[in-house]
Amino acid sequence: NIHSFYHGGFPNLQARIQEVSERDENHPTKNFCYISGGSDICPTPLPRSHVHSAEQLRSLGDNVQFVDVRSLSYKNSFDFAARVPANKKKYIKKFLRKVDKDATLITFCNEGTFAFKGAKALKKYGWEGPVYFYDNGGYKDLKKLFKRA
């Protein structure tokens, strides 16, 4: 089982993060999603430090689908991952029309920030199912996990 973050603990910090995020035009921020956890506006964070195997990722749902949100200029990816650049609304909407509605989505990029932006964009454009973003790591780290599987 993967625990993405301890909920609670620092109420003043939590309140400040929420305040800053709500004032930001890009609400919710990544920090806000770490504090609040997955919700209708926040994807669920999966920090690299909390993920120890590919099986842990696959256990997040019955139909887990990986989504590479890096730009298409990155040629290497997994053959089982969809390519959906996070900054391309057209690709996101096309993907959402095709993807199984019962899927659990896990976005990844190179380091994590773009994975968050991609997961947030999927929610923004209509994804209602579970969506996670692989943070503080990316394609290279996932590649190592899948080699061990």
Side-chain angles (χ1 to χ4, degrees), residues 9-123:
F10 302 97
N12 294 339
L13 179 61
Q14 184 172 347
R16 179 69 177 142
I17 288 171
Q18 183 172 348
E19 177 187 326
V20 168
S21 182
E22 288 172 350
R23 277 196 258 139
D24 192 313
E25 66 183 35
N26 295 315
H27 177 68
T29 62
K30 187 160 75 164
N31 289 338
F32 178 83
C33 291
Y34 263 96
I35 295 296
S36 67
S39 68
D40 58 336
I41 62 168
C42 277
T44 305
L46 289 174
R48 180 182 67 179
S49 60
H50 289 56
V51 179
H52 304 290
S53 71
E55 190 52 43
Q56 280 183 302
L57 295 173
R58 290 188 184 110
S59 72
L60 292 171
D62 292 331
N63 183 11
V64 174
Q65 294 190 18
F66 292 85
V67 183
D68 186 344
V69 296
R70 299 174 299 165
S71 85
L72 296 176
S73 64
Y74 289 92
K75 300 299 179 201
N76 294 334
S77 191
F78 301 112
D79 58 354
F80 54 82
R83 293 299 301 266
V84 184
N87 59 349
K88 302 287 186 189
K89 183 167 83 171
K90 177 178 90 172
Y91 284 94
I92 294 168
K93 288 184 171 188
K94 184 177 178 182
F95 171 74
L96 290 174
R97 283 193 299 273
K98 292 180 177 184
V99 70
D100 290 337
K101 300 303 176 207
D102 68 334
T104 297
L105 305 180
I106 300 175
T107 63
F108 66 92
C109 61
N110 279 341
E111 296 298 330
T113 299
F114 224 61
F116 169 70
K117 289 178 181 180
K120 193 167 97 167
L122 289 169
K123 285 194 160 289

